[in-house]
Amino acid sequence: MTIGATFGRDADRVSPVESPWAELRRRVSGRYPRDGFGLDPQVSDLVAPVLDLLVRVHVEGAEQIAPGAATLVMNRGLGVAEPAALAVAVAREVGRRVRVVGAPDVTGLGGALRRVGAIGSSPAEIGAALAAGHLVVVPLALTWLRAGAGTPPLELMQAITSFPVHPVGVRAGGPFGLAVRPWRVTIGEALERDESYPAGDPLAAADVAEAARAAVDALLHGTVSG
Amino acid sequence: MRVLVTGMGGELGTRVAQLLEERDDVTEIAGCDFVPPRRRLRRAEFRRIDPRRRERLRDFVLDFAPTHVAHFGVYEPASRLSPDDASARTELATVTALSAAARTGRLEYVVVRSGLEVYGPRQNRASIPDESVPPAPRSPYGSSLLRVETVAAGLGRRHGVAIGALRYAPVVGSHVPSPLGRLLRLPVVPVSATNDPPFSLVHPEDACRAMVAALVHGHDGPLNIVGPGAASPWQAVRLGGRIPLPVIGPLWGAASRSAELLGAAIAPHVVELLRSGRTGAGEAAAVLGLGTLRSTQEVLTDLYEWAEVVPLAAAQASAA
């Protein structure tokens, strides 16, 4: 795609921020792209340094992420902190944006989260994002204050079986789950796929879901290194 | 291949006829519309027929006996016709032309113009619908397009004919009569105050290439024809150097009437786009071998690039 089509901003790769005056001029003149999911790469790039300051991360296994579409299945304690930590980790180590599943269907809030990379929680959304070559983050169910991996969203797993699936463990750096030290983000190897299943098979989805949950759990408990 | 192009008088219909004229495998081309073609045609035969004159339209199609039909006799509300007229002419052109073509017994393939409007407002669960997402139109134009697809599909089942439906993103260009294009070129453009959703466009030339490719490939089923990337109302308005006017829900009616007074009527499907967005995905470019389509941002840039009108006397003086 030409510079004229995207105005120098990419929907998949993080771009450096220009001077505040240049960014403002770009905004006022409409010279910024959007993507179909609602991502606003300029806003996303402007938010990234702030997030980088607020959410400190220590990353292991970033080299596991190959170019192209893939799914990162991650644990989640209270909700937004872990996906934010993973987004910062991937942007810093790989230079790519992540599409986090779970944009709420609420006017204003949904649109705002989509501007920074969230997508809807449905197989159609995940399938479209993967088909477009993006890195999709599928959070497991909330575990609140309990350590470990939550339940996989089975209804979504069918959409990801044709693409590489990486387990990701995200742990708070401090004691008792407090983020007083950098978050520890561990990205695991892509899960092995059982090629005997046809694409989109529900049993394959259930297998992938269970394998991903177990792999995330292993990363969190340190029994597997990234 | 004997190709009938309904709606040949429109920008897209005329251009499709021109592209078909360049092909050796197309032996004859005939078309009809209630307005004359917008460019010179060398081989194609054009007949000026209003779809409301059903007998004339039926007889013309029966006489020509097409093997392939490119059905562009689908009229967008507020493009060249009022919403009621557009809907009525679309219905008449579809039913009359397609049923007459089927009655000749020579029909092999039909491709109809449709649009992303059939998916209805953009949904959180499928913000970029592909062809597997069930249609759920909410605007009169979306319903009209779905009706065209349904009529064509029914005809295909009865007569054993393959039916393609090209679901276009809004086709916008500096010379294409389109309510969205006209609206975006107003000096002040109404936009949603609470939402700035993405929408995609397709370039008129890509839309025409897709129609010709569909005729050649004979693709059966719907295909989304969408330019890569997206824009948003606020961004598009500023890219054109226009002023966005934020509008909240109840005031859209007043905004529509004001825009109509300024010469750019806003049909409900355009309001739907401005408030909810409209995007789509699919494998059309690969299936039809279209190569790279122009991106939405390029289509927008093209929309705002008008050829400058230079007064002749002033031009001659400056040349001297």
Side-chain angles (χ1 to χ4, degrees):
Chain A
M1 198 173 284
T2 63
I3 293 288
T6 62
F7 306 111
R9 301 274 181 178
D10 194 279
D12 189 54
R13 301 208 58 91
V14 178
S15 305
V17 177
E18 299 168 352
S19 70
W21 172 242
E23 293 290 352
L24 182 64
R25 216 170 38 187
R26 181 188 275 274
R27 199 76 195 167
V28 171
S29 65
R31 296 185 62 76
Y32 58 92
R34 294 287 299 270
D35 93 338
F37 296 100
L39 176 83
D40 187 330
Q42 190 194 19
V43 168
S44 181
D45 287 339
L46 289 170
V47 168
V50 181
L51 208 57
D52 212 16
L53 279 177
L54 293 175
V55 185
R56 294 173 303 140
V57 293
H58 173 80
V59 190
E60 289 171 38
E63 70 282 357
Q64 311 277 5
I65 299 175
T71 309
L72 307 176
V73 178
M74 66 173 297
N75 64 300
R76 201 167 39 144
L78 298 174
V80 295
E82 290 89 350
L86 179 55
V88 169
V90 171
R92 198 179 72 195
E93 300 293 324
V94 191
R96 292 179 68 184
R97 307 179 198 283
V98 292
R99 305 305 177 109
V100 182
V101 172
D105 193 6
V106 178
T107 307
L109 179 63
L113 289 174
R114 280 177 175 275
R115 276 180 188 269
V116 292
I119 61 173
S121 181
S122 72
E125 283 279 276
I126 294 172
L130 288 169
H134 295 305
L135 271 180
V136 175
V137 173
V138 178
L140 300 171
L142 297 172
T143 54
W144 304 104
L145 296 176
R146 178 175 63 81
T151 313
L154 269 176
E155 73 282 6
L156 304 181
M157 302 309 273
Q158 218 166 324
I160 71 173
T161 53
S162 304
F163 295 88
V165 178
H166 294 269
V168 179
V170 182
R171 284 170 291 175
F176 310 113
L178 297 173
V180 291
R181 287 208 299 260
W183 289 85
R184 297 184 67 83
V185 178
T186 312
I187 300 167
E189 281 178 23
L191 301 176
E192 280 186 23
R193 269 186 290 173
D194 187 343
E195 303 290 348
S196 63
Y197 289 112
D201 188 281
L203 284 176
D207 278 359
V208 169
E210 185 45 37
R213 193 203 61 74
V216 171
D217 213 39
L219 289 172
L220 289 171
H221 291 102
T223 52
V224 173
S225 64
Chain B
M1 204 190 285
R2 291 168 61 83
V3 184
L4 170 72
V5 182
T6 61
M8 195 194 259
E11 180 74 23
L12 302 182
T14 308
R15 182 63 186 138
V16 163
Q18 282 187 324
L19 292 173
L20 290 171
E21 284 181 334
E22 294 168 8
R23 297 189 64 92
D24 294 334
D25 53 352
V26 178
T27 52
E28 285 184 72
I29 308 159
C32 55
D33 206 341
F34 69 97
V35 288
R38 298 166 71 90
R39 303 177 196 208
R40 186 176 172 200
L41 297 172
R42 295 174 191 281
R43 273 208 294 141
E45 179 199 342
F46 175 80
R47 192 74 59 82
R48 192 167 179 177
I49 303 173
D50 190 316
R52 290 175 299 187
R53 301 189 64 180
R54 299 177 68 168
E55 292 77 16
R56 276 197 69 194
L57 178 57
R58 185 197 60 207
D59 292 345
F60 171 68
V61 177
L62 286 172
D63 283 349
F64 181 63
T67 58
H68 292 68
V69 176
H71 183 47
F72 267 122
V74 175
Y75 303 100
E76 185 176 2
S79 175
R80 288 184 297 178
L81 296 165
S82 69
D84 287 346
D85 270 357
S87 175
R89 277 191 167 96
T90 298
E91 175 97 16
L92 287 170
T94 305
V95 172
T96 310
L98 297 190
S99 57
R103 277 174 55 191
T104 64
R106 300 184 61 179
L107 190 62
E108 295 171 15
Y109 182 64
V110 175
V111 55
V112 300
R113 175 192 178 164
S114 186
L116 297 182
E117 288 81 359
V118 297
Y119 297 114
R122 197 163 156 272
Q123 302 162 24
N124 196 51
R125 292 186 67 78
S127 63
I128 307 187
D130 61 14
E131 295 87 355
S132 67
V133 172
R138 297 257 190 91
S139 64
Y141 183 46
S143 302
S144 178
L145 291 172
L146 189 57
R147 171 100 179 118
V148 168
E149 285 191 23
T150 310
V151 167
L155 178 130
R157 273 195 299 276
R158 279 196 304 279
H159 297 273
V161 174
I163 305 289
L166 301 186
R167 293 175 177 166
Y168 289 116
V171 184
V172 164
S174 53
H175 299 289
V176 177
S178 132
L180 178 63
R182 221 176 277 138
L183 181 76
L184 289 174
R185 285 183 299 206
L186 287 177
V188 179
V189 184
V191 293
S192 170
T194 56
N195 201 8
D196 190 29
F199 65 84
S200 297
L201 303 173
V202 66
H203 193 277
E205 188 65 17
D206 290 334
C208 295
R209 287 197 304 121
M211 180 59 86
V212 174
L215 282 171
V216 173
H217 286 79
H219 177 80
D220 198 0
L223 282 174
N224 293 342
I225 310 293
V226 185
S232 73
W234 283 80
Q235 179 263 325
V237 169
R238 285 307 304 143
L239 188 67
R242 272 65 175 175
I243 300 168
L245 175 69
V247 176
I248 52 169
L251 296 179
W252 272 105
S256 299
R257 282 190 291 278
S258 306
E260 194 164 355
L261 286 174
L262 290 168
I266 316 182
H269 66 283
V270 177
V271 174
E272 186 180 87
L273 179 147
L274 293 171
R275 297 181 69 177
S276 309
R278 179 162 297 133
T279 52
E283 299 295 319
V287 170
L288 299 179
L290 296 175
T292 308
L293 302 182
R294 289 171 184 80
S295 74
T296 295
Q297 294 293 345
E298 286 171 313
V299 176
L300 267 181
T301 307
D302 189 56
L303 172 73
Y304 291 122
E305 279 177 1
W306 281 87
E308 266 190 60
V309 178
V310 182
L312 204 55
Q316 283 167 348
S318 65

